[in-house]
Amino acid sequence: MKHLALGSLMALCSSMAFAEGTTVFINADILTMDADFTVAKAMAVRGDRILSVGTEAQVRSEAGEDSSIVDLAGGTVLPGFIDAHTHPVGGGASSVFDNVGIDRFSTVEDALEYMKEETGGQGPLDWALFVNLDLATQSFEDGLVTIEHLDEIAPDTPMVIWQAGGHKMTVNSVMLDLMGVSDDTPDPAGAQFGRFEDGRPDGNLSGAALLFGALGVIEPYNSYDRIEGSVALAKEWNAQGLTTLGVAGVASPKDWDVLTELSARDDFPLRTRNYLQWGALVMWDQAGVAPGQGDDKSRIVGWKISADGSNQAFTGLQREPYLNSDNLGLAYMSQEAIDSAVVKGTKRGGQMAMHGNGNAAIDNIISSVQKAREAGVDVVRPRIEHCSITEDDQIAKLKELDISCSFLIAHVLYWGEAFRDTVFGPEKALKLDRTGSFERAGVPYSLHTDYSVSVLSPLKMVEAAVTRSLFTSPDTVLGEEERASVDMALRAITSVPAFQLLSEEEIGSLEVGKLADFVVLADNPREVTPDEIGEISVKQTWMNGKLVH
């Protein structure tokens, strides 16, 4: 057997012969994430598959004498991390917007002053594009940013502020003209113009129809090189231990073409499991694109629908009004439309991934799944995206109906204080991302970034779920009883999302016959203090039995 020190591994693994041979990894805690949470001490990989997992003696015996041996020097091995809900193509394109979020400016006034400086001297052929302004966390004496603020900053240049969370934009008059919007333009179905008291649009756009309409005319966004941008992002994700992304809403056949092209490239070492936007059904039919297409690197697994907006933009659909208001949020789809999509989408094949942030939107999704099941429709592993505000009665129904959820855990970390103080109030804010209650009830959940809404590493997501500490006040915990266990939080970035993405036979745990996607960590997340989990370094990332980081 050939013995390889960890330090010499990088040079050798570029050899195709090495990648296609048998390699035995020893001297490690291997957290397999199998059903029993087995911890092994060695693992063998042959080609792109796991050959053996167990004791060093057992694995060496099964691997054979010609194997190469890699000493991991006491590191910890887990399955390749999975971010269950991302937007890598459109999210990457959002890099053409300049960040004006809470991490740069504590007040909206400061952000607006910066925007004014950046757009000074621009004209009609220029673009003023900004992202991540957050009225829930950045204080603003005026209360609401409107077209009047933007027209003062950029009277001649199309200006857009894509607000934090991704479900609301504020635009200026030039931008409304480009979109063909007049004072008399009605609200599209499932979307809404903000309006002044006299009925004129105030520049605020809510809902997918209006946001997609705005994006459609933003030239820098549309000319962004989505292929090369995604390749560059892949390197960053590999460095965080990511090997698989759930793509929560492929918007068009053009975007699917981008993903299939990326899949064919060796310099994009990520798997994608993709959901087609239900609203683009006519385009999918015309292009002949449907769930089941693709391979083990990139595959379509289902359909994406959105029942409401986002809570921090006050468009998540609620049972009761937002704090100090009569606003119940915004239904992106009627109950009847959700009912229809669940039945028709299931019959077309694939899984339903259903965006629901507010508790009323979650009610609507649960109702649709229940009605479909009662009508004899075998809804395949339904999952609720974000599932932000859940009530006790809803958790019981999720368990009863085998509905799983995926949490945008950055809601707790970054927006927790705002949800408590300005969005919901302290009592309802405790119902945010209830990982502890879900664990006790036996309802599976995964964690996700909703990239580019947040850019946490998988280990940072685990830390956020386990500690529930607030970024704005690190000593404050939002709902101690909702803290996740470390083991469950690790499952939420490995085995659970693999199951949710209909890929548990391929990835998500380190078991014989599965694809050799795994990470090597400097420390064991089960042994460090919870607030140190996010600081654990990723020493290596492997995909298909090849070292990619």
Side-chain angles (χ1 to χ4, degrees), residues 273-346:
R273 297 295 182 264
N274 304 281
Y275 296 88
L276 305 178
Q277 286 283 8
W278 181 252
L281 187 58
V282 172
M283 286 194 294
W284 300 126
D285 286 345
Q286 291 173 345
V289 177
Q293 294 177 2
D295 54 25
D296 63 26
K297 191 171 180 187
S298 185
R299 184 182 308 127
I300 301 170
V301 294
W303 304 98
K304 166 74 180 304
I305 65 171
S306 294
D308 67 345
S310 71
N311 297 325
Q312 61 267 41
F314 301 94
T315 54
L317 190 65
Q318 308 296 333
R319 291 180 178 180
E320 56 288 310
Y322 286 93
L323 187 65
N324 300 323
S325 80
D326 58 1
N327 174 27
L328 290 171
L330 181 62
Y332 281 14
M333 300 174 69
S334 67
Q335 181 70 69
E336 293 75 17
I338 301 172
D339 292 348
S340 176
V342 169
V343 171
K344 292 180 179 178
T346 300

Side-chain angles (χ1 to χ4, degrees), residues 292-449:
Q293 294 177 2
D295 54 25
D296 63 26
K297 191 171 180 187
S298 185
R299 184 182 308 127
I300 301 170
V301 294
W303 304 98
K304 166 74 180 304
I305 65 171
S306 294
D308 67 345
S310 71
N311 297 325
Q312 61 267 41
F314 301 94
T315 54
L317 190 65
Q318 308 296 333
R319 291 180 178 180
E320 56 288 310
Y322 286 93
L323 187 65
N324 300 323
S325 80
D326 58 1
N327 174 27
L328 290 171
L330 181 62
Y332 281 14
M333 300 174 69
S334 67
Q335 181 70 69
E336 293 75 17
I338 301 172
D339 292 348
S340 176
V342 169
V343 171
K344 292 180 179 178
T346 300
K347 289 183 176 179
R348 281 174 169 265
Q351 178 194 29
M352 299 303 297
M354 297 165 285
H355 166 120
N357 268 310
N359 50 16
I362 293 168
D363 281 338
N364 292 345
I365 293 169
I366 290 172
S367 175
S368 291
V369 172
Q370 182 166 10
K371 284 185 281 190
R373 290 252 175 86
E374 289 172 350
V377 178
D378 184 16
V379 184
V380 179
R381 296 186 193 176
R383 51 180 278 191
I384 301 179
E385 308 305 291
H386 314 317
C387 206
S388 302
I389 295 294
T390 45
E391 307 290 344
D392 289 345
D393 62 298
Q394 292 176 324
I395 295 174
K397 291 298 290 186
L398 295 172
K399 175 66 174 176
E400 175 189 336
L401 295 169
D402 290 325
I403 301 173
S404 68
C405 291
S406 190
F407 293 126
L408 172 53
I409 198 63
H411 278 152
V412 174
L413 179 64
Y414 290 134
W415 286 286
E417 183 175 3
F419 284 153
R420 182 194 65 196
D421 297 344
T422 63
V423 178
F424 292 130
E427 182 178 352
K428 187 172 180 179
L430 296 177
K431 299 173 182 177
L432 179 67
D433 292 355
R434 299 178 66 183
T435 53
S437 292
F438 272 58
E439 185 171 349
R440 290 188 292 273
V443 178
Y445 68 85
S446 61
L447 301 174
H448 67 262
T449 60

Side-chain angles (χ1 to χ4, degrees), residues 108-118 153:
V108 174
E109 285 89 351
D110 288 344
L112 291 174
E113 183 60 32
Y114 169 80
M115 289 184 258
K116 185 174 183 178
E117 293 173 0
E118 290 297 301
I153 291 172

